């Protein structure tokens, strides 16, 4: 079955520390992967996307993610956390073999940034 | 462009009542979808549409109806609200040849 797994429902880092949010996908999904961010009481905003081009993808707000096919992973990183990064982050993959635009979402990771 | 808009932002219903959540987009996107977001479960697809007049079920369609008479609008109808439908509902849209989806601000629904 197609699935997206996010390890760690809650992650806490200190301001200035490395942010690492983990995402693994089932090998049956096509390689179209996304990270979305949701700030409190808001909708989802695209951070970055992988669509079979460069394996290291740069997004907004200093985030980047690396597609590793051998590990079926698409982890999100940021070298130095800022207080404004506190939000919930969702990894998503295209389902249905890409036949439709249906997205499969992970369960989300809530990032807390401590001063 | 307003992007994807949703109304209302908040709604409280009693069990058994019906209502329609509105979604509109002004980007001429062919694909539109409805998700519900529940704590610890991420977003789950309710219904989707690949174009006007074409709709299909997602992962959790029971208790919801949709129709797509125009490219712009994709309303979600709750036929007889149940407490299990208490959730935050998001509408999203995209071009059919691009998997990137644009999300609306959400509707927070409480069913008592």
């Amino acid at each position: 079955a197609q699935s997206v797994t996010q390890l760690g429902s809650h992650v806490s880092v200190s301001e200035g520390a490395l942010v690492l949010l983990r995402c693994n996908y089932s090998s049956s999904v096509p390689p179209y992967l996304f990270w979305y961010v949701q700030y409190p009481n808001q909708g989802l905003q695209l951070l970055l996307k992988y669509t079979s081009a460069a394996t290291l993808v740069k997004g907004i707000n200093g985030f980047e993610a690396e597609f590793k096919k051998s590990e079926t992973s698409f982890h999100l990183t940021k070298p130095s956390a800022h207080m404004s990064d506190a939000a919930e982050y969702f990894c998503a993959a295209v389902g249905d073999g890409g036949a439709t635009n249906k997205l499969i979402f992970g369960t989300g990771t809530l990032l807390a940034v401590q001063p | 462009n307003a992007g994807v808009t949703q109304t209302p932002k908040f709604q409280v219903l009693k069990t058994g009542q019906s209502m329609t959540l509105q979604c509109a987009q002004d980007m001429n996107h062919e694909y539109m979808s409805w998700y519900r977001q529940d704590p610890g479960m991420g977003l789950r697809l309710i219904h989707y549409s690949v174009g006007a007049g074409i709709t299909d079920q997602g992962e959790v369609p029971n208790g919801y109806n949709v129709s797509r008479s125009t490219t712009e609008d994709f309303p979600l109808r709750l036929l007889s609200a149940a407490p299990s439908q208490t959730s935050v509902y998001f509408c999203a849209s995209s071009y059919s040849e691009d998997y990137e989806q644009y999300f609306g601000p959400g509707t927070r629904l409480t069913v008592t």
Side-chain angles (χ1 to χ4, degrees), chain A residues 32 34 36 38 41-46 49 51 88 90 94 96-108, chain B residues 31 35 37 40-43 45 48 50 57-58 90 94-106 108:
Chain A
Y32 295 100
F34 305 84
Y36 283 88
Q38 183 181 33
N41 299 313
Q42 293 189 25
L44 276 72
Q45 178 184 1
L46 182 70
K49 62 181 178 181
T51 55
E88 189 158 22
F90 292 93
V94 171
D96 266 3
T100 67
N101 288 28
K102 290 195 286 186
L103 291 183
I104 303 169
F105 282 86
T107 52
Chain B
Y31 182 86
Y35 295 87
Q37 182 182 22
M41 303 188 75
L43 280 78
L45 183 65
Y48 67 98
V50 299
Q57 296 180 352
F90 289 99
S94 68
Y95 290 111
S96 58
E97 67 272 16
D98 184 352
Y99 299 114
E100 176 182 344
Q101 294 191 26
Y102 296 78
F103 283 82
R108 186 174 295 273

Side-chain angles (χ1 to χ4, degrees), chain A residues 40-63:
Chain A
N41 299 313
Q42 293 189 25
L44 276 72
Q45 178 184 1
L46 182 70
L47 267 181
L48 50 82
K49 62 181 178 181
Y50 172 76
T51 55
S52 302
T55 56
L56 183 62
V57 182
K58 294 188 184 298
I60 61 172
N61 302 339
F63 284 93

Side-chain angles (χ1 to χ4, degrees), chain B residues 32-94:
Chain B
M32 296 186 73
S33 54
W34 277 102
Y35 295 87
R36 59 177 290 173
Q37 182 182 22
D38 302 292
M41 303 188 75
L43 280 78
R44 292 179 293 168
L45 183 65
I46 303 171
H47 285 285
Y48 67 98
S49 169
V50 299
I54 306 170
T55 64
D56 205 347
Q57 296 180 352
E59 182 185 357
V60 288
N62 292 342
Y64 307 95
N65 271 0
V66 292
S67 60
R68 182 102 179 266
S69 56
T70 67
T71 298
E72 295 78 20
D73 300 298
F74 190 45
L76 178 72
R77 297 182 186 84
L78 280 70
L79 308 174
S80 177
S84 61
Q85 294 178 304
T86 293
S87 187
V88 182
Y89 292 85
F90 289 99
C91 179
S93 71
S94 68

